[in-house]
Every structure is written in structure tokens, then in C-alpha cells.
């Protein structure tokens, strides 16, 4: 009947979503690994921004794989597991939003100094770690509130 057809379509949609999430997780992991593998690449602040943006993406896609995998396989899981997986979306959204805001602020500073012909020092690794750490801490509060 119609119910069986809807369930089959939902199952197929979840499988496609899982496949796309797996591809994105793999791509994010390659990006993170590639930058970390190269001493030169990982010593540049702007490359570290890419890593800190990719980490929540990779984790979000891992959560999607787990959540949909549990659903598709009809694997029983404690409700807390599902709440955790859904609550992660708050961390994901907050970390991406605020880290993008930090990066835009850095780019704005570079553009302003460039316009005034002021030499710009490369962004330090320490600065990026502090900014990302504070952003992740703030996003973790969002997650804790949701969880």
C-alpha cells in the first residue's frame, strides 16, 4: 500500500543521505589529514582555520551516518543516544557560525590593512588555536544546553 511505498522511499532517502555523508566525511578527513601531514601547511594560520572548520563537518557527517545507520538497521538504542546525536547539531551550527564570523573578521582586517598598504604579518598558529578553542567552547555550551 501507500504506507509501504512511503517507507521504501524514506529508506532509500536515508541510504542516499548516508552515502553522501560518507563521501563528505571522507573528503573532510582527507583535507584535515593533508594539512596536518605537511609541516609547512600546518604552520600557517589560515590553513588551520580550514581544519577547524572541517572538524565539525566531519563529526556532523559521522553523526548522520550513526543516526541513520541505527534507524535503517532498526538497531535499538537508548533514547539518550538519539538525543546526543541530534543535540550535536547545536554544536555544529554554533561552531560553524561563530568560526566563520571570526574568519570574516580576520579577512576584513587584512583587506583594511591592504587598502592602506600596511604589511600584514601572517596569522599565528597560537591565535588560531585560541580563537578556535574559544569558539568550540562557546559551541559546547550550546550543545550542553540542547543535550
Amino acid at each position: 500500500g501507500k504506507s509501504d511505498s512511503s517507507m521504501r522511499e524514506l529508506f532509500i532517502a536515508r541510504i542516499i543521505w548516508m552515502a553522501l555523508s560518507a563521501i563528505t566525511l571522507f573528503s573532510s578527513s582527507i583535507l584535515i589529514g593533508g594539512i596536518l601531514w605537511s609541516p609547512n601547511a600546518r604552520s600557517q594560520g589560515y590553513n588551520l582555520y580550514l581544519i577547524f572548520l572541517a572538524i565539525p563537518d566531519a563529526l556532523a557527517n559521522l553523526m548522520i551516518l550513526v543516526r541513520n545507520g541505527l534507524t535503517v538497521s532498526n538497531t535499538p538504542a537508548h533514547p539518550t543516544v538519539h538525543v546526543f546525536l541530534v543535540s550535536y547539531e547545536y554544536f555544529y551550527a554554533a561552531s560553524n557560525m561563530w568560526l566563520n564570523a571570526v574568519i570574516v573578521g580576520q579577512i576584513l582586517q587584512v583587506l583594511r590593512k591592504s587598502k592602506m598598504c600596511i604589511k600584514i604579518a601572517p596569522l599565528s598558529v597560537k591565535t588560531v588555536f585560541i580563537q578556535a578553542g574559544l569558539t568550540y567552547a562557546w559551541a559546547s555550551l550550546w550543545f550542553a544546553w540542547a543535550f
Side-chain angles (χ1 to χ4, degrees):
K2 184 158 174 70
S3 172
D4 291 340
S5 175
S6 296
M7 290 303 289
R8 188 174 61 249
E9 288 174 7
L10 185 58
F11 178 82
I12 292 169
R14 286 187 186 276
I15 295 297
I16 292 169
W17 192 9
M18 289 174 65
L20 294 173
S21 290
I23 291 167
T24 306
L25 175 60
F26 180 71
S27 302
S28 297
S29 300
I30 287 175
L31 173 73
I32 293 166
I35 292 172
L36 291 177
W37 187 261
S38 167
N40 185 43
R42 71 175 176 255
S43 69
Q44 297 175 21
Y46 289 105
N47 288 340
L48 294 178
Y49 276 145
L50 293 175
I51 290 175
F52 285 118
L53 283 172
I55 289 170
D57 289 336
L59 290 174
N61 283 286
L62 179 63
M63 302 290 179
I64 289 168
L65 284 170
V66 170
R67 188 174 70 219
N68 283 309
L70 290 170
T71 302
V72 166
S73 67
N74 286 326
T75 302
H78 193 277
T80 305
V81 172
H82 292 286
V83 172
F84 175 85
L85 293 171
V86 172
S87 297
Y88 175 77
E89 293 173 12
Y90 284 84
F91 174 86
Y92 175 67
S95 63
N96 268 304
M97 178 176 55
W98 291 107
L99 195 52
N100 275 307
V102 167
I103 294 168
V104 167
Q106 288 295 141
I107 292 170
L108 183 60
Q109 286 181 9
V110 168
L111 291 174
R112 284 183 175 158
K113 288 180 181 178
S114 294
K115 184 178 178 182
M116 297 183 294
C117 297
I118 298 172
K119 185 171 166 100
I120 302 134
L123 191 61
S124 78
V125 169
K126 180 180 178 182
T127 299
V128 174
F129 269 92
I130 290 170
Q131 291 171 337
L134 291 172
T135 302
Y136 282 177
W138 177 243
S140 294
L141 291 175
W142 286 37
F143 166 79
W145 173 80
F147 188 62

